[in-house]
Amino acid sequence: MFELLAISIAFLGLIIASYYDLKTTEIPDLLPILMIAAGVSLNFLNFILTKNFDNLYFSLINGILFSIVGFSMYFGGLWGAGDAFLLSAVGFLVPKNFLIKDDLPFFLNYLTNLFLLGSIYMIFYSFFYVLKNRKAILILKGQMRKFYKYFVILTFSFLAASILLSYLFFQIINVKLSLIITVTSCLLVLVWLFSKSVERSFIKRIHVSELKVGDVLLESRRWDGLTKEEIIKIRKSGRKYVYVKSGVCFAPAFPIALVFTIFYGNSIVILFNLLSLI
């Protein structure tokens, strides 16, 4: 009962965070704090009533591990503080694998799914962003015009390298494997080119009078939005224009990864199992 309630709170909290992130690009500070408090309280209550320390122990371990990962991403300038707190909240709320009886610990399954499925989510998010953003489309077209000759050369290089590796390791030319490696490598190059185009379109130059609370300056090493006091200071500094950056609203990746982890387990393990059938 406690596990189901904790997972329900985690999922509901992540859905609310996703809504705010997509609508305002901000996650309410209080939301993940309440989720963390609920996680610790529920697992502590479970320990008091059942005398079983497991859930509380793994809740604290997951919470600490997820906090280390999340805030490492934040201080590295890859995530906002809201994303880091959301990851911590999931750790404190969900101590172990729920439906899937997997030998791998929950924290490993969830982190694997978050980064893999999160990457897929970011590709789809960026794709729809490009469709709605003329600037991104123009940048992508320019990049493709510059890169297409190199792409043809890379394709043949990948094909030759995969055939050579196939022969060296298996003493036969495995055409199917070579084609899979070539297509996968080409897709990764296209995804990289696409992501660089989208990244450039996320940057815009605005007049300081247009700055608002929550905007992130391009020169900022972390994803910390400007406060009202900082905006006033910039306007008084004499600067006329500044560059601000935005990014992918990553919060929806958290509930996606949670649902996948609960029902299916580790996405990498599933992927390897599927590849073994080829």
Side-chain angles (χ1 to χ4, degrees):
M1 182 185 75
F2 285 101
E3 287 182 341
L4 182 59
L5 181 57
I7 288 172
S8 300
I9 292 172
F11 184 72
L12 180 61
L14 295 176
I15 291 295
I16 294 171
S18 301
Y19 169 78
Y20 276 100
D21 197 23
L22 290 170
K23 187 175 181 179
T24 68
T25 70
E26 293 286 328
I27 298 170
D29 294 336
L30 185 60
L31 179 61
I33 294 173
L34 290 175
M35 291 170 67
I36 291 170
V40 174
S41 300
L42 279 174
N43 286 297
F44 181 74
L45 186 59
N46 183 33
F47 165 64
I48 295 297
L49 295 177
T50 65
K51 307 304 180 186
N52 187 334
F53 187 59
D54 282 359
N55 277 9
L56 179 59
Y57 172 77
F58 285 110
S59 167
L60 296 174
I61 292 296
N62 286 348
I64 292 169
L65 288 173
F66 282 6
S67 297
I68 292 171
V69 173
F71 283 96
S72 294
M73 299 284 284
Y74 165 66
F75 287 114
L78 301 174
W79 273 2
D83 296 319
F85 273 115
L86 278 184
L87 185 59
S88 299
V90 172
F92 284 110
L93 276 162
V94 187
K96 294 184 290 184
N97 294 318
F98 183 50
L99 295 179
I100 299 296
K101 302 306 178 186
D102 201 328
D103 292 334
L104 298 174
F106 171 79
F107 82 87
L108 181 60
N109 285 343
Y110 185 73
L111 285 179
T112 299
N113 295 335
L114 180 63
F115 290 119
L116 180 61
L117 300 179
S119 299
I120 296 171
Y121 159 77
M122 288 172 68
I123 291 170
F124 277 100
Y125 179 97
S126 301
F127 177 74
F128 285 107
Y129 174 84
V130 166
L131 290 180
K132 293 165 55 178
N133 190 298
R134 181 171 173 76
K135 179 184 175 183
I137 294 174
L138 292 174
I139 292 173
L140 182 58
K141 284 181 177 178
Q143 293 282 81
M144 291 300 293
R145 278 196 295 267
K146 291 179 182 178
F147 195 74
Y148 81 93
K149 292 180 181 177
Y150 300 103
F151 185 73
V152 173
I153 296 171
L154 276 175
T155 301
F156 283 105
S157 300
F158 286 140
L159 183 59
S162 61
I163 290 172
L164 178 61
L165 288 172
S166 174
Y167 183 77
L168 288 174
F169 283 99
F170 303 105
Q171 282 72 54
I172 59 169
I173 296 175
N174 190 323
V175 177
K176 187 177 181 180
L177 180 61
S178 298
L179 286 175
I180 290 173
I181 294 173
T182 301
V183 171
T184 303
S185 301
C186 289
L187 284 174
L188 288 173
V189 171
L190 287 174
V191 168
W192 172 79
L193 191 64
F194 174 76
S195 66
K196 296 303 289 183
S197 301
V198 173
E199 185 181 295
R200 286 179 59 189
S201 70
F202 280 143
I203 300 169
K204 60 181 179 179
R205 181 174 178 260
I206 64 172
H207 194 274
V208 292
S209 61
E210 299 177 57
L211 279 173
K212 59 184 185 297
V213 174
D215 281 341
V216 180
L217 294 179
L218 179 60
E219 65 247 35
S220 176
R221 290 187 60 209
R222 298 175 192 160
W223 284 89
D224 290 326
L226 291 170
T227 63
K228 187 176 180 180
E229 292 74 20
E230 288 172 329
I231 292 174
I232 293 172
K233 187 176 179 180
I234 290 171
R235 287 173 179 168
K236 287 181 177 179
S237 68
R239 296 171 69 177
K240 298 295 183 184
Y241 294 92
V242 291
Y243 284 93
V244 295
K245 60 183 178 181
S246 57
V248 174
C249 297
F250 193 68
F254 287 87
I256 293 171
L258 181 61
V259 170
F260 193 95
T261 305
I262 290 170
F263 287 98
Y264 300 104
N266 192 297
S267 54
I268 294 293
V269 173
I270 293 172
L271 185 61
F272 273 113
N273 289 337
L274 289 174
L275 288 174
S276 67
L277 298 176
I278 296 176

